[in-house]
Amino acid sequence: MIDLTEIQPRGVDRFETRPQMPPAKLDALSRDILALKKELNAIILAHNYQVPEIQDVADFVGDSLGLSQEAAKTNADVIVFCGVHFMAETAKILNPHKAVILPDKDAGCSLAESCPAPKLKAFQAANPNFYTIAYINCSAEVKALSDVICTSGNAVKIVKAAPPDRDLLFVPDENLGAWVIEKTGRPMTLWRGNCYVHVEWTHASIMRIRDEFPGAPLVAHPECTKAVRMLADEVCSTEKMVGYCRRTPAKAIIIATEAGMLHRLRKECPDKQFIPAPTDNCRCNECRFMKMNTLEKLCDCMTNRSPRVELSDEILRKARAPIERMLEISARPD
Ligand code: 13P
Ligand code: SF4
């Protein structure tokens, strides 16, 4: 059995060793948040990469697909979205008449930033036969220019369902796109964007940890580079990682995705040990955008009902159709 205390001092799992909030403060804030939730008739949705104390007060914790499915069916009056901005925007697009509030409106995404809408529009103009598939990690404006949205959890299914007579343009993640091409055999033009966190894992950094824990399978997010994906026993979205880790008989598993996932996995599989895959040059398995949200900011946004996601009627209308198409395809039997 691997002892995690031997792993943590190497500094890879900075997220788990960060300073803890004093228990009394944690309890008081969590209590206030739960009271506000009742008062507002709110639902708290949190991505798997959020800090543990936010995950622990949320009504639903999941991947981008699960979060959009929850947002599409909620009866709550207010959606409190703990993730990054494009995720809260997606919830607003699906609920144009509800208030969607978020702890920090500056929590962006390097991947979303790599694909500005005017650049995409110009690129699409070059080929009228393009059918644009946008990974959900993009702005509402980019969604409004797209034919269908996908997440890492359903990208293969969405691409398989694309019209056979169209040229596929996949934006903005080149690594997820390349993985989907491998899985479907369908050629696609790939936008040259990537996630600044997931490209930090390298062939060498993974080989080192595999040598150290030869029996432990490696699970990697499809935003990782091919050099890492080809070493993985499983490549999947954050939610599918939970299923894989439950099913595998292995007692220790190496995880190549953002560090917040470790809290979720440790809660779901308390009898297993999760080894954060080390990056090469830095201790950067944390998304600085996801970590902009704190329990204090969550409490503040619920107290002030602000910041809120605001989008123009035109963007709300145009971005809704490709998200609904994704939800409809996703719900089809496999
Ligand atoms: P999931 O689709 O697995 O939730 O991943 C979202 C993300 O931002 C990965 O970096
Ligand atoms: Fe964006 Fe990467 Fe952060 Fe995910 S981990 S939200 S893709 S910057």
Side-chain angles (χ1 to χ4, degrees):
M1 179 84 93
I2 295 157
D3 180 1
L4 266 185
T5 55
E6 282 172 19
I7 299 166
Q8 285 172 351
R10 296 177 325 146
V12 174
D13 199 355
R14 185 169 52 141
F15 176 53
E16 290 298 306
T17 54
R18 80 206 152 96
Q20 297 296 305
M21 186 181 283
K25 188 174 175 191
L26 178 70
D27 283 355
L29 274 170
S30 304
R31 255 199 320 273
D32 288 354
I33 288 167
L34 294 180
L36 282 161
K37 198 173 72 144
K38 239 184 172 166
E39 188 187 319
L40 300 176
N41 186 28
I43 184 171
I44 303 177
L45 303 179
H47 189 265
N48 286 320
Y49 295 163
Q50 291 296 285
V51 291
E53 53 273 24
I54 290 185
Q55 293 193 27
D56 293 347
V57 292
D59 295 293
F60 178 85
V61 182
D63 67 355
S64 307
L65 178 60
L67 290 164
S68 40
Q69 288 165 333
E70 284 299 311
K73 68 179 188 210
T74 185
N75 291 320
D77 294 325
V78 176
I79 299 173
V80 187
F81 207 107
C82 303
V84 289
H85 197 264
F86 75 79
M87 295 178 175
E89 277 185 344
T90 305
K92 179 69 183 175
I93 294 162
L94 288 165
N95 296 278
H97 304 300
K98 289 186 180 174
V100 177
I101 58 177
L102 64 171
D104 192 322
K105 69 171 176 24
D106 294 327
C109 166
S110 69
L111 194 46
E113 275 165 31
S114 72
C115 188
K119 247 182 152 174
L120 172 60
K121 202 171 177 179
F123 196 77
Q124 287 171 321
N127 182 352
N129 197 39
F130 268 147
Y131 181 84
T132 305
I133 303 175
Y135 185 30
I136 199 162
N137 295 41
C138 63
S139 67
E141 289 75 15
V142 165
K143 289 184 176 76
L145 291 172
S146 302
D147 293 290
V148 65
I149 305 304
C150 73
T151 73
S152 60
N154 62 16
V156 169
K157 196 169 184 178
I158 299 293
V159 170
K160 281 184 178 165
D165 57 331
R166 302 284 296 275
D167 298 330
L168 303 190
L169 169 63
F170 189 91
V171 303
D173 189 72
E174 58 188 345
N175 291 308
L176 174 67
W179 177 70
V180 175
I181 292 173
E182 285 163 27
K183 302 291 266 184
T184 60
R186 183 94 196 251
M188 300 196 288
T189 300
L190 302 180
W191 194 263
R192 304 305 299 270
N194 56 51
C195 161
Y196 87 100
V197 180
H198 285 86
V199 297
E200 284 295 333
W201 286 285
T202 64
H203 187 269
S205 76
I206 297 295
M207 287 309 280
R208 274 203 312 277
I209 197 84
R210 292 216 88 160
D211 281 353
E212 218 173 310
F213 302 101
L218 169 74
V219 181
H221 196 276
E223 287 175 15
C224 292
T225 62
K226 179 166 180 144
V228 169
R229 293 196 312 271
M230 51 193 276
L231 295 175
D233 296 274
E234 182 74 5
V235 177
C236 59
S237 77
T238 55
E239 198 56 33
K240 289 185 179 171
M241 287 182 187
V242 176
Y244 175 86
C245 292
R246 278 201 198 115
R247 285 190 307 274
T248 178
K251 285 289 174 202
I253 304 141
I254 305 168
I255 303 294
T257 197
E258 208 271 352
M261 194 62 213
L262 298 166
H263 178 68
R264 175 81 200 281
L265 289 170
R266 286 172 183 150
K267 262 176 109 167
E268 299 278 353
C269 310
D271 56 325
K272 300 201 172 168
Q273 293 186 309
F274 295 99
I275 303 156
T279 52
D280 233 358
N281 304 311
C282 55
R283 291 153 61 191
C284 34
N285 62 345
E286 275 190 357
C287 171
R288 67 173 182 273
F289 304 110
M290 286 280 181
K291 295 304 184 282
M292 287 169 84
N293 296 333
T294 62
L295 203 62
E296 287 94 335
K297 287 188 200 172
L298 169 56
C299 193
D300 286 352
C301 86
M302 293 177 78
T303 307
N304 304 323
R305 282 74 156 154
S306 166
R308 281 175 191 235
V309 178
E310 306 286 1
L311 293 165
S312 73
D313 289 346
E314 188 190 356
I315 292 294
L316 282 169
R317 187 174 42 77
K318 288 187 177 162
R320 191 178 171 111
I323 298 174
E324 284 186 333
R325 190 164 296 131
M326 168 189 83
L327 292 172
E328 183 272 307
I329 296 170
S330 222
R332 289 181 196 165
D334 287 320

